[in-house]
Amino acid sequence: MLSLERQKAKMTHVNPRCELHGDEHVRAADLKFTFDTSNDVLSAFDPALKSSLYRKADGDGEQLDIEPGWLPKLRFPRMGLVEWKSEIVGGTVQIFYGLDSSVDLEIRIADKFEFGLKDGGTVTVSFRIQCKPTEEQFGRLCYLVQESVELSMWPPKADQAPQQELGTEVAATA
């Protein structure tokens, strides 16, 4: 399950909205984040995903002795964006900005994971978080759109809802 610790990311989108809970309107938001990281992140989604999409570099035996799990070469360079159909229900996200400032939010759902695969072992990860920010948090979140932030995300605790898997289908889009 995906867990992040002070990952530099770009908050690419904030969508403020209302949900209807019975007769009551409840403020909610969708937050979208994007960041580049090592292809090791793919193992958080499925242990076999990294080796399914990447392979060893040709003629690079010395490097492999130093880092045996290093798989920098794309298996399918024309594949395009990979969508991962999975949801994480519950958990916590902390968005850091400025000096000693952060927004702490309870995650309702983290989903819409997408992987932009790059030769050399880098992956661009994009995903959405659905949450219920306070009025004060809404203002700060809207101000951070298209800004770089640091992001920590922890999976649900035992007393929160467990991770919900929608399946392990991988869809590639051009």
Side-chain angles (χ1 to χ4, degrees):
M1 187 179 308
L2 182 64
S3 180
L4 303 171
E5 192 65 43
R6 291 195 78 111
Q7 172 67 52
K8 290 185 189 288
K10 186 174 189 178
M11 184 183 297
T12 59
H13 186 74
V14 174
N15 178 37
R17 57 187 174 75
C18 276
E19 296 177 345
L20 193 58
H21 293 204
D23 291 336
E24 183 182 352
H25 289 275
V26 177
R27 287 177 187 87
D30 298 333
L31 313 176
K32 187 164 183 183
F33 295 94
T34 301
F35 62 92
D36 286 344
T37 190
S38 160
N39 60 7
D40 291 333
V41 74
L42 298 171
S43 298
F45 295 90
D46 187 285
L49 188 56
K50 177 181 168 184
S51 61
S52 296
L53 300 171
Y54 285 88
R55 63 179 174 83
K56 295 177 184 177
D58 298 326
D60 207 1
E62 287 181 24
Q63 182 68 31
L64 296 177
D65 291 339
I66 296 169
E67 298 178 51
W70 190 57
L71 301 174
K73 203 77 176 141
L74 284 170
R75 285 188 186 276
F76 311 103
R78 296 172 159 194
M79 182 179 251
L81 195 63
V82 175
E83 297 175 6
W84 191 256
K85 308 259 187 220
S86 163
E87 287 184 344
I88 299 172
V89 177
T92 306
V93 64
Q94 189 172 23
I95 303 162
F96 301 91
Y97 60 92
L99 296 173
D100 297 327
S101 300
S102 69
V103 175
D104 300 346
L105 298 165
E106 221 175 273
I107 298 171
R108 290 192 46 241
I109 298 173
D111 64 358
K112 296 196 176 189
F113 294 96
E114 296 176 338
F115 308 125
L117 309 174
K118 299 177 184 178
D119 217 16
T122 301
V123 175
T124 299
V125 178
S126 298
F127 64 98
R128 175 181 72 169
I129 291 178
Q130 294 181 334
C131 57
K132 294 181 184 175
T134 65
E135 185 176 341
E136 183 181 320
Q137 290 171 331
F138 259 124
R140 176 52 56 193
L141 292 170
C142 289
Y143 185 76
L144 292 172
V145 174
Q146 294 302 317
E147 295 292 329
S148 291
V149 297
E150 286 186 342
L151 175 72
S152 291
M153 189 167 103
W154 301 279
K157 296 178 183 171
D159 59 344
Q160 287 182 304
Q163 178 179 1
Q164 300 291 314
E165 288 290 336
L166 293 179
T168 56
E169 307 88 33
V170 176
T173 56

